[in-house]
């Protein structure tokens, strides 16, 4: 039975239940003993406490494209085809990627790299774009740069408003829709032409899930603009990865060199001329995008030292968020407010000092 709003279901009858995590939470559904429940997007953190409140005899089957779980949630895992195989089969579409040069300070501070409006006009003008923003304030500020051609969608908007807004984007009545936490998972938008990531995240699952909005087959040329630094944190989202319930998870399998062009920042497939603008690298080249488990490819004429990015613990992430909130609160009281980047840099400086004494 499908357990969801608008569907008639009878939990007293034996059988397989197909339900969303939100349905189980919001409706407070208690499954019967020995039930079988199939959950989509089973990587979501809010599933674990739901499973703990259900009878121990319930059998769970989960489906997800990003199997990053709380340890002990699942007992076994079977992996399907990797993205490269699905692309070859025609089940997923390929897309171009444009990434800024690595900015260590911005990555540490969780800041946006470069000017988002300038980058959109340079690389994606005219493409129907879904932007991921960190919060409502930043979403509204970004949309304001496209008067009459952009909209903001958040959890405050009812379903009919969300549907109508996406319809306007599909019809090219809008250029950009800025969303805050709405379309990261489970939404098919095959006509989408550009994804603009403006929401830094330490979650490899979130990074991949966002990008997957572009993987649906259909539409025309597709472009991924990443100014959140997530390519540098986690590697390209569509590379093959190793998944595990017990060991390192989401680690990219070794892939060919992936070099951002020094001129147009297009993610080309090797150190030769860029397929997009034709630029041939001279002198210092940009190192290969990397993540834990991927080889670091250094420049041909000038070596660039790269340290493996240390995984930030949950405690540190929470502390950094506190510092950022404090800096934003202080910034609102300043006669001359700091720029967004400077606010995040100030929080990063406090974080560095905190690490030295803790």
């Amino acid at each position: 039975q499908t357990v969801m709003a608008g569907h008639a279901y009878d939990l007293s009858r034996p059988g397989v239940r197909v339900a969303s995590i939100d349905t189980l939470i919001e409706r407070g559904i208690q499954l019967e003993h020995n039930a079988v429940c199939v959950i989509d997007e089973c990587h979501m953190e809010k599933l674990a406490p739901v499973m703990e409140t259900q009878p121990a005899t319930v059998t769970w089957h989960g489906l997800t494209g990003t199997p990053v779980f709380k340890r002990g949630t699942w007992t076994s895992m079977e992996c399907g085809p990797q993205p490269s195989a699905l692309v070859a089969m025609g089940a997923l579409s390929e897309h171009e990627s444009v990434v800024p040069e690595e900015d260590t300070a911005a990555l540490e501070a969780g800041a946006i790299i470069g000017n988002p409006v300038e980058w959109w006009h340079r690389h994606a003008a005219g493409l129907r774009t879904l932007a991921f923003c960190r919060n409502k304030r930043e979403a509204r500020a970004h949309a304001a740069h496209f008067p009459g051609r952009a909209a903001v969608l958040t959890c405050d908007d009812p379903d009919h408003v969300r549907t109508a807004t996406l319809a306007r984007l599909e019809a090219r009545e809008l250029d950009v829709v800025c969303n805050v936490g709405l379309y990261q998972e489970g939404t098919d938008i095959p006509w989408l032409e550009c994804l603009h990531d403006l929401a830094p995240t330490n979650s490899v699952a979130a990074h991949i899930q966002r990008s997957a909005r572009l993987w649906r087959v259909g539409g025309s040329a597709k472009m991924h603009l990443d100014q959140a630094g997530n390519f540098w944190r986690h590697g390209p989202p569509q590379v093959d990865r190793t998944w595990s319930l017990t060991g390192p998870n989401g680690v990219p399998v070794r892939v060919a060199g992936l070099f951002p062009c020094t001129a147009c920042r297009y993610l080309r497939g090797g150190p030769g001329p860029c397929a997009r603008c034709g630029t041939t690298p001279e002198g210092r080249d940009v190192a290969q995008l990397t993540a834990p488990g991927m080889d670091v490819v250094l420049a041909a004429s000038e070596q660039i030292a790269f340290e493996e990015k240390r995984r930030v613990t949950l405690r540190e992430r929470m502390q950094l968020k506190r510092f950022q909130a404090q800096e934003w609160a202080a910034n609102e009281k300043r006669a001359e407010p700091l720029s967004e980047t400077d606010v995040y840099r100030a929080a990063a400086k406090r974080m560095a000092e905190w690490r030295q004494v803790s």
Side-chain angles (χ1 to χ4, degrees):
Q1 298 181 71
T2 300
V3 181
M4 64 179 292
H7 281 245
Y9 55 88
D10 181 3
L11 297 182
S12 66
R13 292 168 46 201
V16 176
R17 317 297 184 213
V18 180
S20 73
I21 301 170
D22 288 332
T23 295
L24 293 179
I25 295 174
E26 293 171 6
R27 293 180 170 274
I29 291 173
Q30 191 71 13
L31 299 171
E32 72 276 19
H33 289 280
N34 300 316
V36 176
C37 190
V38 181
I39 294 287
D40 193 18
E41 306 295 358
C42 66
H43 61 276
M44 298 176 72
E45 292 182 2
K46 57 186 175 183
L47 174 60
V50 173
M51 295 173 69
E52 293 170 0
T53 62
Q54 298 292 337
T57 54
V58 173
T59 300
W60 300 88
H61 294 276
L63 303 170
T64 179
T66 50
V68 180
F69 309 114
K70 175 184 175 183
R71 191 64 59 86
T73 303
W74 300 92
T75 57
S76 64
M77 177 170 63
E78 183 174 343
C79 294
Q82 292 274 13
S84 60
L86 293 171
V87 169
M89 293 163 54
L92 296 179
S93 67
E94 294 183 284
H95 60 271
E96 295 182 344
S97 301
V98 178
V99 297
E101 188 169 355
E102 185 178 30
D103 184 331
T104 304
L107 288 171
E108 177 71 15
I112 304 303
I113 304 174
N115 184 313
V117 178
E118 178 184 314
W119 261 61
W120 186 87
H121 282 289
R122 178 181 175 187
H123 298 290
L127 298 183
R128 292 171 290 187
T129 301
L130 180 66
F132 283 88
C133 302
R134 285 178 289 202
N135 53 56
K136 299 173 186 177
R137 177 181 57 79
E138 292 182 7
R140 294 184 184 114
H142 185 61
H145 290 285
F146 305 89
R149 301 294 300 175
V152 176
L153 289 176
T154 72
C155 59
D156 297 332
D157 296 301
D159 288 342
H160 71 274
V161 172
R162 302 178 194 179
T163 301
T165 302
L166 287 183
R168 292 183 63 201
L169 180 64
E170 182 179 11
R172 299 189 184 278
E173 296 175 10
L174 297 173
D175 292 322
V176 180
V177 168
C178 303
N179 90 103
V180 181
L182 286 182
Y183 299 114
Q184 185 162 287
E185 298 155 326
T187 303
D188 288 329
I189 316 176
W191 47 264
L192 187 65
E193 295 168 334
C194 176
L195 186 149
H196 198 172
D197 197 350
L198 301 173
T201 178
N202 287 315
S203 168
V204 64
H207 172 50
I208 296 172
Q209 288 283 347
R210 288 176 195 167
S211 176
R213 299 317 104 206
L214 285 177
W215 299 6
R216 304 307 195 254
V217 176
S220 54
K222 297 176 184 289
M223 173 72 69
H224 187 157
L225 301 182
D226 173 38
Q227 289 184 266
N230 292 326
F231 271 69
W232 291 109
R233 291 184 181 89
H234 309 294
Q238 210 172 42
V239 299
D240 296 347
R241 295 175 185 266
T242 299
W243 302 102
S244 170
L245 290 178
T246 57
N249 209 12
V251 175
V253 176
R254 180 172 177 170
V255 294
L258 293 167
F259 296 78
C261 173
T262 53
C264 73
R265 308 308 302 168
Y266 172 66
L267 199 64
R268 65 189 195 276
C274 174
R276 191 177 185 217
C277 71
T279 299
T280 300
E282 297 180 1
R284 180 184 181 278
D285 193 8
V286 182
Q288 177 188 9
L289 280 171
T290 185
M294 291 177 65
D295 292 338
V296 178
V297 178
L298 299 179
S301 60
E302 178 185 329
Q303 280 207 334
I304 310 168
F306 275 83
E307 295 182 0
E308 182 180 9
K309 293 181 178 63
R310 181 171 52 83
R311 288 187 176 275
V312 182
T313 64
L314 177 61
R315 176 169 172 260
E316 288 178 319
R317 289 203 300 271
M318 295 303 294
Q319 185 61 49
L320 178 58
K321 286 182 181 297
R322 282 193 285 269
F323 285 146
Q324 290 172 346
Q326 291 167 7
E327 289 299 325
W328 276 116
N331 197 48
E332 292 177 354
K333 299 177 182 178
R334 292 189 176 100
E336 296 183 5
L338 301 176
S339 68
E340 175 185 315
T341 299
D342 287 339
V343 169
Y344 282 111
R345 288 183 191 278
K349 180 180 179 181
R350 292 180 62 186
M351 189 67 190
E353 296 170 349
W354 177 83
R355 284 198 183 112
Q356 290 178 351
V357 299
S358 61

